[in-house]
Amino acid sequence: MSAARVALVTGSTSGIGEAVARRLAREGYAVVVHSRSSAQAGQALAAELGRAVYVQADLALDADRVRLVREAVGAWGRLDVLVNNAGISRVVPHDDLLSATPEIWQELHEVNVIAPFRLVAEARAALEAAAVDGRPGCVINISSHAGVRPKGASIPYAVSKAALNHMTRLLALSLAPRIRVNAVAPGLVDTPLTADWTQAQALWRERAPMRRAAQPDDIAQTVSLLAASDYLTGEVLALDGGLNLT
Ligand code: NAD
């Protein structure tokens, strides 16, 4: 198979990742759909999108990270855009320090920090090779406003996203000019992950200048804008309906 531009979107069988995969496919990208376990949903989405393949991989496992990139690049022989969307969250009240166990710290760090770094490392050669067509390769990390402000589901989650934000800037500097690296830092997004976060939903309705939480496609739209640029790099875009202004 051959295609013009190819995007790998991790965690793309639900929520934000699915919206990103759908939008990039609509824009003409060949898409690599990925998930940890929902292979049936992934295969169905890839079939629906048409120019798409599905790859299963547990991003907590390094061998799976390496295989995911190899299979993604192998599908069309190139990779232009890597969207590091897969992530996990754990809810722990910030003042309940003993409940934020080392196991929680480790699992969040493994999936939210080490996995995106390792995927960039493994995809670097393909993303750089894509740049010979005149457009830099592109990495977009889905972070969180919890990585910018002292908020979020738990301290380990917020710290993992703060690490991802800093990694975004460090990688932007070290991989330029052949690869651009940016992050989107959403506030509350209506996805399965946040379906029962009633307090946060009320906060966004009442306090956010845009008076609502984001829909997954609001995030996908911004990912698409970042992917369309040839120059923007090292930015962490707050996408919280303006809540950070209040
Ligand atoms: P979601 O649960 O629908 O999606 C998360 C995806 O990550 C799933 O597809 C899941 O399979 C994948 N994933 C988790 N652990 C994995 C692993 N070990 N290996 C492979 N894949 C794994 O949730 P979402 O809300 O769409 O979240 C997507 C991203 O957006 C996450 O990084 C999350 O932290 C971030 N985010 C979400 C919100 C929100 O309000 N929903 C806000 C800010 C940031």
Side-chain angles (χ1 to χ4, degrees):
M1 282 196 267
S2 69
R5 277 168 69 75
V6 179
L8 164 59
V9 185
T10 67
S12 44
T13 55
S14 67
I16 294 169
E18 180 182 347
V20 171
R22 287 182 181 281
R23 185 173 269 263
L24 293 181
R26 277 202 305 276
E27 292 175 355
Y29 282 83
V31 175
V32 180
V33 175
H34 154 265
S35 74
R36 174 182 40 189
S37 52
S38 39
Q40 238 181 339
Q43 276 152 3
L45 179 60
E48 185 191 331
L49 296 182
R51 210 159 42 159
V53 295
Y54 168 74
V55 181
Q56 178 280 331
D58 183 348
L59 296 183
L61 306 175
D62 206 58
D64 273 27
R65 297 167 187 152
V66 174
R67 180 177 54 77
L68 170 60
V69 172
R70 192 169 13 91
E71 291 186 16
V73 174
W76 284 279
R78 64 180 291 157
L79 183 65
D80 300 82
V81 176
L82 165 62
V83 182
N84 277 316
N85 166 75
I88 50 174
S89 174
R90 295 287 175 262
V91 179
V92 183
H94 287 205
D95 63 351
D96 185 0
L97 304 193
L98 291 175
S99 292
T101 61
E103 290 72 28
I104 290 177
W105 278 97
Q106 280 154 5
E107 65 171 344
L108 289 173
H109 199 68
E110 200 62 63
V111 176
N112 293 357
V113 184
I114 299 176
F117 181 86
R118 290 286 298 133
L119 292 184
V120 174
E122 291 295 324
R124 178 184 187 171
L127 291 167
E128 286 185 347
V132 296
D133 289 358
R135 300 195 58 192
C138 172
V139 175
I140 299 166
N141 296 322
I142 306 301
S143 170
S144 170
H145 80 128
V148 181
R149 305 180 81 207
K151 301 278 179 202
S154 62
I155 290 180
Y157 176 75
V159 170
S160 75
K161 293 299 190 178
L164 184 60
N165 290 343
H166 200 51
M167 188 201 300
T168 297
R169 291 182 282 261
L170 291 164
L171 288 175
L173 194 56
S174 58
L175 298 181
R178 294 180 71 182
I179 301 175
R180 300 180 302 109
V181 186
N182 294 288
V184 178
L188 184 69
V189 189
D190 286 335
T191 70
L193 187 82
T194 60
D196 57 355
W197 294 15
T198 46
Q199 256 186 315
Q201 288 158 3
L203 177 70
W204 254 268
R205 264 196 319 273
E206 288 155 22
R207 295 265 313 278
M210 296 308 290
R211 291 285 183 264
R212 64 173 177 90
Q215 294 303 306
D217 201 50
D218 291 314
I219 315 305
Q221 183 184 48
T222 302
V223 167
S224 154
L225 290 173
L226 289 173
S229 171
D230 287 333
Y231 193 61
L232 189 69
T233 197
E235 292 297 329
V236 176
L237 286 189
L239 199 56
D240 63 355
L243 189 69
N244 69 88
L245 303 171
T246 65

